[in-house]
Amino acid sequence: MSLGSMTCTRCGDGFEPQEKIVNSNGQLWHTQCFVCAQCFRPFPDDVFYEFEGRKYCEHDFQVLFAPCCNKCNEFIIGRVIKAMNANWHPRCFTCELCSKELADLGFIRNAGRALCHECNARVKAHSQGKYMCHKCHSTIEGQPLRWRGDTFHPYHFNCASCGNELTADAREVKSRPGYTANEMNELYCLRCHDKMGIPICGACRRPIEERVVTALGKHWHVEHFVCAKCEKPFMGNRHYERKGMAYCETHYHELFGNLCFVCNAVIYGDVVMALNKAWCIHHFACAVCDIKMTQKTKFFEFDQKPICKKCYEKFPQELKKRLKKQHEIQARGGKPLP
């Protein structure tokens, strides 16, 4: 084909001798005509995108035609994942729980979330109050076997000692002094485990592999030996026992001992009992003038607090009559005066 018979694809004019010609997919262009169909600028680094026979620079192609990723909000060039009524980069379309890429794994829509099959099964099992087996990834009917922080069907394992199939009561033995390598982090049936002499926690019924607390005739994990009232671990602090239960100092005295009505601290020494309350000796004082009193000091009750005689005498006569009448009613067991 001679130069005179060739024309520019865009403007239809011919080419001058020695003129630089752009050849793109068999089509010829003047260099000034080989531009973006939207912004009419040359293509940076000769990179362009073609759509319906027209060529665009990368920026205009993205603005006009490229979908936007629902996660990173960037334009998607190349493979587009259409799911959950949105567009995604393959790397951005992930399970909302475990973050696995779902483009090739498939997904299940669960409560408006895209989940992988494994996480969906776990969520479904949890809603039914059940567990997922970490090995076969199916729902566990009944009690699971716990090993290394995960749950399993018990029948996936055998006792490391006798070889019998395990139940949910199997015990995990971690590394302990005097055990062989084969006895570390292995599972044992109850019978074989009891032969090893490992203490069982009185709270969680699991083996105690580290520090042991012995109290109330049982063994406990340190973090499981707690106050029966506030459920805070004693962590080596003093505890008090009563009727097979353990209490921290504060709640033992609150339930069975004396706490000062003023400072709310345990009263270890002498105690003043007045107005159906307990008081430290140095805290039993007039509620008006704050003068210290003893249990032998004559005092009067006002608003469930002790008032010394001197302050009481300063009260209006009418108030004293009402207080006296109230005291008489209380002395008669709440019965009104005749």
Side-chain angles (χ1 to χ4, degrees):
M1 183 180 294
S2 64
L3 184 62
S5 63
M6 294 186 294
T7 59
C8 176
T9 301
R10 182 169 184 266
C11 68
D13 293 340
F15 298 97
E16 297 293 331
Q18 306 301 321
E19 180 182 359
K20 185 178 179 181
I21 301 173
V22 177
N23 187 333
S24 175
N25 297 326
Q27 295 179 326
L28 303 179
W29 310 70
H30 292 110
T31 54
Q32 66 273 18
C33 291
F34 191 62
V35 294
C36 173
Q38 178 68 19
C39 65
F40 305 110
R41 296 177 181 175
F43 301 113
D45 301 322
D46 294 329
V47 176
F48 64 89
Y49 296 84
E50 191 167 355
F51 183 75
E52 295 183 349
R54 307 182 72 184
K55 294 177 174 57
Y56 300 88
C57 65
E58 182 177 18
H59 172 76
D60 287 327
F61 180 79
Q62 290 177 348
V63 172
L64 293 172
F65 308 111
C68 188
C69 179
N70 190 59
K71 183 175 182 180
C72 67
N73 293 320
E74 295 181 0
F75 291 114
I76 305 173
I77 303 299
R79 186 183 179 189
V80 180
I81 304 299
K82 293 183 176 292
M84 308 289 290
N85 299 320
N87 298 302
W88 315 76
H89 288 107
R91 67 177 183 277
C92 293
F93 187 54
T94 59
C95 174
E96 291 197 25
L97 295 183
C98 68
S99 299
K100 290 180 182 177
E101 291 187 15
L102 302 174
D104 299 315
L105 292 178
F107 74 98
I108 296 176
R109 186 167 185 161
N110 185 307
R113 302 175 298 177
L115 303 181
C116 66
H117 291 277
E118 184 176 339
C119 287
N120 180 72
R122 186 178 296 110
V123 170
K124 184 177 179 180
H126 180 73
S127 66
Q128 298 173 348
K130 299 179 181 179
Y131 296 90
M132 288 294 299
C133 178
H134 192 69
K135 185 173 184 178
C136 66
H137 306 298
S138 60
T139 305
I140 301 173
E141 300 294 340
Q143 290 299 314
L145 185 152
R146 300 179 183 274
W147 187 46
R148 297 181 180 178
D150 293 311
T151 55
F152 300 85
H153 286 107
Y155 55 73
H156 288 312
F157 299 91
N158 296 89
C159 176
S161 178
C162 67
N164 290 334
E165 185 178 290
L166 294 177
T167 66
D169 293 326
R171 306 299 190 193
E172 178 182 359
V173 176
K174 299 180 181 179
S175 177
R176 288 171 61 89
Y179 289 168
T180 65
N182 292 331
E183 293 176 317
M184 297 179 182
N185 291 77
E186 295 289 353
L187 290 167
Y188 295 83
C189 66
L190 281 178
R191 182 178 179 182
C192 293
H193 182 271
D194 290 344
K195 293 179 181 179
M196 303 173 75
I198 300 175
I200 299 298
C201 178
C204 69
R205 306 305 302 165
R206 306 301 298 173
I208 305 175
E209 308 293 347
E210 298 176 352
R211 182 181 172 188
V212 180
V213 176
T214 302
L216 304 176
K218 299 178 181 178
H219 302 292
W220 313 80
H221 287 106
V222 175
E223 64 274 16
H224 290 165
F225 186 52
V226 300
C227 171
K229 176 67 174 179
C230 63
E231 297 185 351
K232 292 183 178 179
F234 295 109
M235 302 303 289
N237 295 323
R238 183 178 180 182
H239 71 276
Y240 296 78
E241 299 180 9
R242 184 181 177 90
K243 295 182 178 180
M245 307 289 282
Y247 299 88
C248 64
E249 185 176 54
T250 298
H251 287 112
Y252 178 82
H253 287 283
E254 180 183 287
L255 295 171
F256 313 111
N258 294 312
L259 293 179
C260 177
F261 175 71
V262 176
C263 66
N264 201 38
V266 177
I267 304 175
Y268 292 104
D270 294 333
V271 57
V272 176
M273 299 300 300
L275 307 179
N276 296 320
K277 300 177 180 66
W279 315 69
C280 296
I281 291 180
H282 55 282
H283 282 155
F284 186 59
C286 174
V288 176
C289 66
D290 201 34
I291 187 173
K292 299 296 184 292
M293 300 186 297
T294 68
Q295 201 158 5
K296 296 182 179 180
T297 303
K298 185 174 182 180
F299 64 90
F300 298 85
E301 179 183 354
F302 176 68
D303 194 21
Q304 298 184 354
K305 296 176 183 178
I307 303 295
C308 68
K309 182 178 180 181
K310 185 175 181 180
C311 291
Y312 179 79
E313 293 297 335
K314 296 179 182 179
F315 282 0
Q317 191 65 29
E318 182 62 27
L319 176 59
K320 288 191 289 185
K321 289 182 179 179
R322 294 180 61 184
L323 292 176
K324 181 179 179 181
K325 184 176 182 180
Q326 181 182 13
H327 178 72
E328 291 175 347
I329 293 174
Q330 292 174 346
R332 294 171 176 267
K335 297 180 180 180
L337 292 173

